[in-house]
């Protein structure tokens, strides 16, 4: 009987179009009486329905006699054979079962389908699940709208040759990516790589011409950043040796120090580090505890760090390789204290043995960057020759007299610190490149990986809106930050005493934004690659671990953002004080502009596409927010101080406001730089492509803070909603070019993936045969 | 002459109150003529100013003769000696220099200070920077308002004895936290720990009484989660062996499987794993490729995975320790396919040698969890006895006839999968505990660490608003999620066939929310501990690395959230279909409530403190959002399908909307659970403390999505602003209890910090002496 009803059904010509309905219905639930009747009704829409067919159908519509698993399976196989390939709707399935099933049936099935639409998609796909030989379709990515090389040229600008040089060097065999598990093996590999870079004279790029260098700090920063395409432990070790150790001697020392040390630093004949942070003094380095007391008898400074809080912490190159350190300590002479100064201090002899009074501890295993030998340094009355004071900003005579061109300690300290701003800029630049690499891997993976077989199986996971939302705004911010870092490097290159302070402030903000971006973008990339992203060999998780501390070193990001806010508040207050008229006029102009936006409901409600994508709109609205937050912060501080609140506490009470301001100011600034770049490009596909990224970056920043704009009346709700839509539309516009965007980063293949690149087995070749006999 | 003007100044009685002004002014900038005049003016407010004093002062106010560094240093030392300790304002400094300096001067200095207020705080602190012997003040934490044990009792509820048991077991010497760098050493340690747990009979807790177990899955989940106080590799290995391997046999097998395997699994006599995921099929496991074809000749299934995409990936216990696996494969018999079924498959013999046809690869090094031996499994025509089909939901007779109580393959598959929901619940529970540990470490560190010496030096970094903003909302969400997980465990415990599907849906959402929380909270904790957080020995970074994959395994979070949204949409649609009248009435009631909020400007504008903290307000507004997003999602899907969009694509087009809905629904649900708990507590300090956390958790969720509420008119701007303020106020209210909150987690000391606990050297003992001679 069972066999009967199965073969009767499958052989019945009339009933063919109804088979998918029958299968789907029974496969999903146990049908009750009304549900069976509902399906029975459908059959009346079949052309030429006869009594025999109806009787056959009825045997399949008895709630007390549901089909068996075997019957259902056979029914499905039959449907599959007839239908040949997946159809997304019941109507399409019916039509595929029998070409001329008639309009009446189509309409009836469409109505039935609508009643059940919600659970549809998943169930329909099941018909073609786990077939023995899935058709191996070679779905092609859409053709990109622009040439990746054109965008690459824009990204690299004047530094294309530096990028090319680093790519060439990274192509050497020794740069094969290997990750021994022990810190020792990683440290050894990183030191070997560093030696290779030194042999390529990369350390000389930043050195003065007097020692055979190129005196080109911007080029050096680019090469430093480009190394982030490969490995961040190497980036950090490279930065410690040349940028921090070499840089401190270059900027804080005088000619005789340059001559004595710089060439050896560039060649790695002398490995060293930068010993500033102490266990008790990370962010507040002005309060370092280590002392350097001048002793006229011996003509030397006595270096001392008697407490745990005064020991030097996190010092790169200290635990293993470093011979000499630039040590920061409180200078005392003649019973007076003159604040923090830098000294060149040998800690090991030529054989690597520690010198008297110096104690070193290995910081131990870390979340990442285990290729860097961070150590702790303790000094017990260590004698340092007077000559080793880096004396560009202060000197001590043999008899102990102190002299400095900058009498105020505070100002002197910040002047010295300011010369080292290159470190912060470099960290920002490397953050952008590290995030780039993570995003490139995730985009490539997303464009290969298929799951759930949606859209007739031609959809990759990168076609999912949620996936795009996690990767594309991050990609857009990556481009935006790249140009902001480029601008910063150029400002740094052309700095004057008048602009130095502002550049330091800007560097603080850009470093915080870039390193947080690197963390969040890499995190998104990791999650978007699922378990594959968690595997070390696929590198994203290594970047994720390494980059985490970028939010902490060279200044804790939160502290840096507060610094930015405070400096800008001080400038703003100074503006009022020193040039009241000018400031007043500027305020009026700004106010007028604000009112134009604020008071005009047409703009707050404006929702047309052109307007929402318009750079002027983005710049106006981002400037408005930053300025508004600055003025209101100043007002709130003033109010508290007027009420006798301790200024320190007053600032603390509005820290969240200062953080919002600092973020707003950075987003304004970053959007401005991106605009400048795109604006200067000549018309063409590359410009259009970059303009899309500019739009997404700006719109994402604005949309993410919609609450503020709505709160302040700059948006009406319809504008907020329109922005949401245009943001989603941009994702779809960017999708076809996704691979071209990441190709513009031109990351060498060797840096992009491990020996077993995951596309080999996950992506294009899901059915690649393996020899399962080897073990 | 220089010596002259210094001693004249320091010895001059009249000028004493002005010295801080003089010092601060010169230390910060080079003064110009008007600035010098401005300071000179101040002196006219001094009582009894004579000509000699004025002449002395004038020698210090010449732009062309600024003080030297030595003079400034001596001046500062003099001020320091007179003032004795840091004063936060210039006025206070003047008063400290000379008690009776008069109201006139005070007013004049106050006016001067206001002109310069912005840069004040930092500069003033400099006077007492790097003094030789900073006063070691033993600042006490404020007394908590409640007993940590009372809150602990609420957290542990009926499972206090399970928590106590785990704490006792973790106290054993073998659980000393050690982290060898190699994966091999970590794997060995984790296996040893697991053996210890098995010897304590922890594996038996979930097993049926028939094999000597306690049949208490909720208790097992609590113990699993409690192990997250120690190490997540152990948690995962424990979960793989007992929860997944044991659980799959328990729930999918029949009595004879239980007898044969469960006791040995609990005792670790048989180590095993759960082989479901394949390289090509992570999220979409219904489409697994591995096949198990029944061969009536030999009476066995033939297991085959001929491609790379069909190999089993990420299988815990596969690479090293596992002897037997529960393998999921497409069952075929008699030429028909019946979908995914589970089989017990031996992969190694008693000596650990791989069996014929089985190939294993080590997944290799990972971002974290390197104590778990994840492997890849390939099967080449491996014969599995017919008896080894776990046959609770389907059986195959000796001649190959298939039988199942659930004929529909789709339904059968999801029924089997549904029995394994305990895994997802366990991951959620462990996520909450892992985040707890990170937050506990960060709060303890924050309450010890001082920096920048604000507030007269008694401020810890936990007193900073930005620091609180990073940790306290995370802490509040941690409590909220804890109770949501507890509720889920209880629902799971009392599940019926009718409620199972809803519990699975809820588990999907809670797992996603809890694991994302664990990642973000641990990230915040890491950054809040600065470099110390990056060191492995301080454990936060280990948790951070390990917990990352919690967002991926047991279901990718994004996929799970989409699943939640789709299931709820289906229920919602079904509601309309099946019980139109009831649904309609419900809609009307809801609508009335909505309008009450929506239409009533008084509520949209209501900003009083009681209202903003009120649980009813939180529940109403969170329900409203979830419901609104659900209805509008249904409307948008319907519109697309009416326009002939493929349902799969229709869902994809509004994925961001579905994600917003799923988040909103989870936040509503979580807030509801938290309310239920607090509501049931008796009045007292513990209830008040928990109520603060409830408020912060709800307000933070609402405030974070203010744009939505503003957009939809539920908030007027003043309400948004008032919420911002009450959120910040709550931080300050929570601060004095911060340590008590984390003490309520009762994490054993041994689990909280490494051998060198960082408070030893960073916190209370900044001046602890160390012996710097050892090396």
């Amino acid at each position: 009987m069972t066999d009967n009803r199965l073969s009767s059904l499958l052989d019945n010509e009339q009933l063919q179009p109804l088979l998918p309905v029958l299968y789907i219905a029974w496969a999903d639930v146990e049908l009750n009486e009304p549900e069976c009747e509902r399906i029975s009704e459908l059959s009346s829409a079949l052309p030429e329905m006869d009594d025999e067919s109806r009787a056959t159908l009825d045997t399949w519509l008895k709630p007390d006699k549901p089909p068996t698993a075997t019957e259902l399976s056979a029914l499905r196989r039959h449907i599959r054979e007839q239908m040949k390939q997946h159809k997304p709707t019941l109507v399409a399935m019916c039509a595929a079962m029998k070409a001329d099933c008639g309009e009446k049936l189509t309409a009836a099935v469409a109505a039935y389908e609508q009643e059940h639409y919600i659970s549809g998609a998943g169930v329909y796909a099941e018909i073609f699940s786990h077939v023995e030989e899935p058709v191996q379709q070679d779905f092609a990515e859409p053709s990109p709208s622009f040439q990746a090389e054109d965008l690459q040229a824009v990204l690299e600008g004047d530094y294309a040759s530096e990028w090319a040089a680093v790519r060439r060097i990274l192509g050497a065999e020794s740069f094969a990516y290997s990750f021994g598990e022990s810190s020792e093996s990683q440290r050894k590999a990183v030191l070997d790589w560093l030696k290779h870079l030194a042999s390529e004279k990369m350390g000389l790029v930043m050195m003065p011409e007097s020692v055979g260098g190129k005196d080109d700090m911007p080029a050096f920063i680019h090469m430093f950043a480009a190394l982030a395409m490969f490995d961040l432990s190497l980036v950090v070790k490279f930065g410690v040796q040349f940028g921090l150790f070499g840089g401190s001697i270059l900027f804080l020392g005088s000619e005789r120090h340059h001559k004595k040390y710089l060439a050896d630093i560039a060649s790695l004949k002398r490995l060293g580090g930068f010993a500033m942070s102490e266990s008790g003094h990370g962010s507040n380095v002005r309060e370092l505890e280590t002392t350097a007391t001048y002793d006229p008898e011996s003509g030397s400074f006595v270096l001392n760090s008697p407490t745990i809080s005064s020991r030097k912490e996190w010092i790169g190159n200290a635990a293993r390789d470093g011979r000499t350190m630039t040590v920061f300590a409180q200078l005392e002479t003649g019973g007076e204290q003159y604040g923090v100064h830098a000294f060149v201090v040998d800690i090991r002899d030529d054989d690597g043995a520690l010198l008297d009074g110096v104690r070193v501890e290995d910081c131990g295993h870390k979340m990442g960057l285990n290729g860097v030998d961070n150590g702790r340094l303790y000094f017990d009355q260590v004698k340092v020759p007077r000559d080793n004071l880096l004396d560009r900003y202060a000197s001590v005579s043999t008899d102990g007299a102190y002299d400095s061109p900058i009498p105020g300690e505070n100002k002197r300290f910040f002047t010295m610190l300011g010369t080292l701003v290159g470190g912060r800029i470099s960290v920002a630049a490397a953050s952008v490149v590290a995030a780039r690499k993570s995003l490139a891997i995730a985009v490539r993976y997303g464009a290969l990986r298929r799951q759930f077989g949606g859209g007739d199986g031609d959809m990759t996971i990168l076609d999912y809106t949620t996936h795009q939302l996690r990767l594309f705004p991050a990609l857009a911010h990556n481009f935006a930050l790249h140009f902001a870092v480029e601008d910063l490097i150029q400002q740094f290159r052309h700095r004057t005493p008048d602009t130095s302070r502002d550049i330091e402030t800007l560097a603080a903000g850009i470093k915080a934004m870039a390193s947080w971006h690197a963390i969040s973008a890499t995190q998104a990339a990791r999650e978007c690659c699922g378990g594959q992203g968690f595997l070390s060999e696929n590198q994203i998780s290594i970047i994720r671990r390494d980059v985490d501390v970028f939010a902490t070193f060279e200044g804790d990001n939160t502290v840096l953002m507060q610094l930015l806010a405070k400096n800008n508040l001080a400038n703003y207050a100074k503006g009022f004080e020193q040039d009241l008229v000018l400031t007043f006029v500027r305020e009026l102009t700004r106010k007028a502009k604000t009112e134009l936006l604020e008071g005009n409901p047409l703009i707050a409600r404006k929702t047309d596409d052109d307007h929402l994508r318009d750079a002027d709109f983005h710049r106006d609205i981002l400037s408005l927010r930053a300025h508004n937050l600055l003025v209101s912060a100043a007002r709130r501080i003033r109010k508290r101080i007027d009420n006798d609140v301790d200024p320190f506490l007053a600032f603390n009470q509005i820290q969240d406001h200062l953080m919002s301001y600092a973020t707003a100011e950075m987003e304004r600034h970053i959007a401005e730089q991106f605009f400048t770049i795109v604006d200067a490009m000549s018309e063409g596909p590359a410009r259009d492509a970059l303009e899309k990224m500019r739009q997404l970056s700006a719109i994402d920043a604005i949309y993410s803070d919609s609450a503020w704009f709505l709160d302040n009346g700059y948006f009406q709700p319809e504008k907020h909603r329109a922005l949401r839509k245009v943001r989603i539309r941009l994702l779809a516009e960017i999708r076809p070019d996704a691979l071209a965007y990441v190709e513009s980063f031109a990351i060498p293949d060797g840096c992009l993936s491990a020996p077993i690149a995951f596309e080999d087995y996950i992506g294009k070749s899901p059915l690649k045969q393996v020899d399962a006999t080897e073990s």
Side-chain angles (χ1 to χ4, degrees), chain A residues 139-186:
Chain A
F139 298 110
E141 271 285 302
S143 312
S145 69
F146 66 97
Q147 299 295 314
E149 306 81 63
D150 294 344
L151 199 49
Q152 182 188 345
V154 180
L155 286 173
E156 295 176 5
D158 294 340
Y159 298 91
S161 66
E162 277 76 11
W163 279 85
V166 173
R167 284 193 193 96
R168 179 187 57 73
I169 294 169
L170 290 178
E173 206 156 331
S174 54
F175 287 95
Y177 207 89
S178 78
F179 31 88
E181 290 190 347
S182 75
S183 295
E184 183 52 30
S185 74
Q186 291 178 56

Side-chain angles (χ1 to χ4, degrees), chain A residues 702-769:
Chain A
I702 295 167
Y703 179 75
S704 304
D705 202 20
S706 261
W708 192 89
F709 295 107
L710 284 161
D711 174 12
N712 288 273
Y714 297 134
F715 288 178
Q716 290 301 310
E718 53 264 46
K719 187 151 196 160
H720 165 69
R721 267 168 258 155
L723 272 170
R724 186 181 65 218
K725 284 181 195 157
V726 75
R727 178 160 161 268
I728 298 291
R729 266 203 303 277
L730 268 164
L731 302 178
E733 291 171 20
I734 285 167
R735 170 64 186 92
D737 285 328
L739 284 179
Y741 281 112
V742 303
E743 269 165 36
S744 75
F745 301 151
I747 301 172
D749 278 349
C751 293
L752 257 188
S753 47
I756 307 168
F758 47 44
E759 51 262 48
D760 278 356
Y761 55 89
I762 297 293
K764 283 180 174 152
S765 329
L767 292 174
K768 188 172 161 186
Q769 292 291 325

